[in-house]
Amino acid sequence: MKKGRTLQTWEDYSDCKIVIDGQQRLTTLIIFMKALCLKKKENQLFERDFILENNQVALRHGKNDIDAFQKVIRQTEPELLENKEPKSQIIEAYNYFIEHIKDTSLYNRTVIKQNIQFVCIDLVEEEDEQQVFDTINSLGVKLTTAELLKNYFFDENNVDEYNKNWAAVFEKDDETKAYWDMAIPSSFGMERMNVILFGLKNTTTIPYILYIARNVTDKREFNQMCGILESYIMRRMVVHATTKNYNHLFTSLILNGVLDADSLSKKLKEGKDSITYIPNDTDMKNSFHTAKLYNIQTKGILYLIESGIRPARSSTALLGFNKYSLEHLMPKKWRNHWPPCATEELAKARDAELLTLGNLAIIPQFLNASIRDADWQTKKAGKNEKPGLAECAGGLNTLLDVLKKDEWNEDEIAARAEWLYKKGIGLWNNLMWRKKRICFWQRRRSRYFFH
């Protein structure tokens, strides 16, 4: 998707366009064509297609990727490039194509170009590219936290401000980039808030988070406030409560100078109507069993529970939020391979339960379609060298008991919903009450020790 600076159509491709979405696809295409032309000894044809009259490549990358991209583009021989740690995905992609393009007679450059299809959405000055971008990505395209942060802070009207204040935060070096896409800890703090703000699209909370990040110097107090905010937002997300008042709510917290955990908890508890209240445990229990949430909400709830309950020395590493996808344990197409229901009414009830939290899981790798819709034993174990849940999702605490089940049915879905509910309220409990309880326990322990 591109945005022109004047009222022009996409045919005016000689103009400079801002690529809002699609950089990865364009980059992969260019790298592939570069590798192919080098292998076929036709580098001049690559330059004819992708190098401009000013000797610049047609696609310009951001600060972090530009050196690697230019290194690939300037190659004159089909040789592998050294890829030092932290590795560049651009160089890795180029090396992959160099290694795997074997018989060049099988590749016809002209045919490839004729069959590549791109959807081009060309915007004019009055249109809001960020709104269109957010709409496209709501359909399931996964972005890293860094990309989401940059999208929030950056647009063509504040390039200088972004470069001055934020470029070093997100793009200082490869290590900095890797930080923003890492997994989150179990303890409350900014890392978990990043997932809630950007992964789950609660961006109206950002001004207040920046406000307390600047003014609350005690890290423990700041983390406690992040925990309260997480509990408030996630409880409301579980029960599918509206977010339309969040902008007003978090603005009011700034205007009232709410800069400590006690005051924040008190202010949030003042909300009594449907657009500000804190859902109680009964509300949470009902929703864990019956609510049908958006996929991104379900994924966020399961991911934050997973990260919150994992042992500190787990044998497997938790990946970043964007590395996981959502999977129905009992598939939507259960009628093909699963035991039938006695009546059509029970079948419809089963269809409804498939969409609830008890039947949904996060997994780091898509299952093959034939495995995804197979019977339960095949779905767990896999078949014909195609891995099942045991291999694709082993080590996830939210699936440990699930993978031990000999069958998966409505009773198991309900039992898992209850288990998730208990983990959820344990994680997103009234944090000020937890704080007092911990202090009381510490006092009791001290008396016992000294007496």
Side-chain angles (χ1 to χ4, degrees):
M1 182 170 64
K2 307 176 291 184
K3 186 172 183 180
R5 300 187 183 278
T6 57
L7 296 178
Q8 295 168 317
T9 62
W10 74 273
E11 284 89 356
D12 298 311
Y13 48 80
S14 60
D15 290 340
C16 178
K17 303 282 187 177
I18 299 172
V19 180
I20 305 299
D21 188 35
Q23 288 190 33
Q24 291 182 357
R25 292 170 180 82
L26 288 170
T27 300
T28 303
L29 170 64
I30 292 174
I31 293 173
F32 171 77
M33 295 301 286
K34 176 66 178 184
L36 177 62
C37 287
L38 286 176
K39 297 281 281 191
K40 292 174 73 71
K41 302 186 183 303
E42 297 176 346
N43 192 49
Q44 74 283 0
L45 297 179
F46 172 84
E47 294 185 351
R48 188 181 72 182
D49 286 338
F50 297 105
I51 302 299
L52 305 177
E53 290 183 0
N54 60 3
N55 204 35
Q56 295 295 315
V57 67
L59 179 66
R60 181 174 177 83
H61 270 268
K63 178 181 177 181
N64 268 4
D65 293 325
I66 191 169
D67 290 341
F69 190 62
Q70 290 290 341
K71 191 173 184 179
V72 168
I73 298 305
R74 300 309 175 197
Q75 279 291 98
T76 58
E77 297 293 334
E79 300 171 345
L80 295 177
L81 290 172
E82 184 180 8
N83 199 7
K84 297 180 180 180
E85 296 289 346
K87 292 185 177 181
S88 163
Q89 290 184 322
I90 287 178
I91 292 179
E92 191 171 355
Y94 167 78
N95 287 342
Y96 176 87
F97 290 134
I98 290 293
E99 288 182 322
H100 287 79
I101 296 175
K102 305 275 188 196
D103 184 356
T104 57
S105 65
L106 298 175
Y107 301 86
N108 186 306
R109 172 177 154 276
T110 302
V111 172
I112 292 172
K113 289 170 60 177
Q114 289 174 343
N115 285 276
I116 290 176
Q117 297 184 7
F118 283 90
V119 175
C120 178
I121 304 173
D122 204 62
L123 306 182
V124 295
E125 289 294 337
E126 304 86 53
E127 294 178 294
D128 184 351
E129 70 273 21
Q130 191 62 48
Q131 183 179 11
V132 177
F133 175 77
D134 289 341
T135 301
I136 291 174
N137 277 293
S138 70
L139 300 179
V141 178
K142 306 297 189 296
L143 299 180
T144 66
T145 304
E147 288 169 329
L148 291 161
L149 281 161
K150 288 189 286 184
N151 291 339
Y152 180 80
F153 288 115
F154 178 82
D155 63 49
E156 63 180 290
N157 297 316
N158 65 353
V159 175
D160 292 338
E161 183 180 350
Y162 174 83
N163 289 332
K164 178 182 177 181
N165 298 315
W166 298 108
V169 175
F170 306 127
E171 303 181 83
K172 181 180 179 181
D173 48 38
D174 289 335
E175 184 179 355
T176 302
K177 279 186 66 179
Y179 165 79
W180 290 110
D181 197 32
M182 69 180 182
I184 63 172
S186 59
S187 55
F188 296 121
M190 194 62 238
E191 292 87 353
R192 293 177 67 86
M193 285 305 301
N194 280 337
V195 172
I196 294 169
L197 297 179
F198 301 103
L200 301 181
K201 304 183 186 302
N202 287 281
T203 53
T204 51
T205 317
I206 291 175
Y208 181 63
I209 287 292
L210 293 177
Y211 174 67
I212 63 175
R214 179 176 181 178
N215 293 287
V216 178
T217 56
D218 186 324
K219 186 174 181 180
R220 293 181 64 183
E221 187 76 14
F222 176 77
N223 289 342
Q224 182 73 10
M225 296 179 77
C226 286
I228 293 172
L229 290 171
E230 178 179 329
S231 295
Y232 178 78
I233 293 171
M234 294 309 296
R235 277 181 170 261
R236 290 181 58 83
M237 185 175 293
V238 169
V239 304
H240 214 178
T242 180
T243 61
K244 67 179 182 180
N245 193 54
Y246 279 7
N247 186 51
H248 173 75
L249 170 65
F250 293 112
T251 299
S252 72
L253 295 177
I254 297 174
L255 296 176
N256 285 282
V258 178
L259 290 170
D260 63 86
D262 289 300
S263 299
L264 175 59
S265 180
K266 182 179 179 181
K267 281 290 184 183
L268 294 178
K269 288 177 182 177
E270 290 176 355
K272 301 298 182 183
D273 55 37
S274 62
I275 61 175
T276 57
Y277 83 108
I278 301 176
N280 60 34
D281 289 356
T282 301
D283 299 327
M284 294 277 283
K285 184 183 181 78
N286 291 336
S287 290
F288 267 99
H289 280 274
T290 63
K292 302 172 185 63
L293 305 173
Y294 297 125
N295 283 354
I296 190 66
Q297 294 174 325
T298 299
K299 178 183 166 183
I301 291 166
L302 294 173
Y303 183 78
L304 288 170
I305 290 177
E306 176 69 37
S307 62
I309 66 175
R310 286 176 73 80
R313 296 183 178 180
S314 177
S315 60
T316 57
L318 182 68
L319 305 176
F321 178 69
N322 296 313
K323 302 297 183 181
Y324 291 93
S325 59
L326 207 59
E327 178 70 24
H328 292 77
L329 298 175
M330 182 185 291
K332 293 180 180 179
K333 297 180 180 179
W334 59 268
R335 289 172 175 82
N336 292 339
H337 301 288
W338 290 58
C341 293
T343 66
E344 184 58 28
E345 184 177 351
L346 290 174
K348 290 180 179 179
R350 175 180 285 183
D351 287 335
E353 288 194 49
L354 299 181
L355 306 177
T356 61
L357 283 160
N359 189 55
L360 291 160
I362 55 169
I363 62 173
Q365 179 180 339
F366 281 111
L367 295 178
N368 181 275
S370 63
I371 302 297
R372 183 184 304 122
D373 296 332
D375 62 87
W376 178 236
Q377 293 300 328
T378 302
K379 185 163 188 176
K380 282 198 306 177
K383 187 177 181 181
N384 298 330
E385 299 184 353
K386 295 173 182 175
L389 284 171
E391 181 176 340
C392 292
L396 288 169
N397 283 56
T398 46
L399 283 177
L400 283 179
D401 288 340
V402 170
L403 296 176
K404 298 175 184 177
K405 302 295 182 181
D406 292 328
E407 57 181 307
W408 191 255
N409 51 38
E410 289 85 340
D411 291 339
E412 297 296 351
I413 292 174
R416 183 164 180 268
E418 185 69 15
W419 183 85
L420 288 170
Y421 153 70
K422 291 178 179 177
K423 297 300 181 183
I425 61 169
L427 183 62
W428 301 313
N429 213 329
N430 183 311
L431 294 181
M432 298 315 297
W433 176 80
R434 279 185 63 197
K435 185 177 180 181
K436 292 175 182 176
R437 181 180 69 174
I438 292 171
C439 291
F440 176 70
W441 176 80
Q442 288 173 337
R443 289 197 299 272
R444 285 184 61 192
R445 184 177 64 172
S446 298
R447 287 199 300 272
Y448 178 81
F449 181 79
F450 285 110
H451 289 284

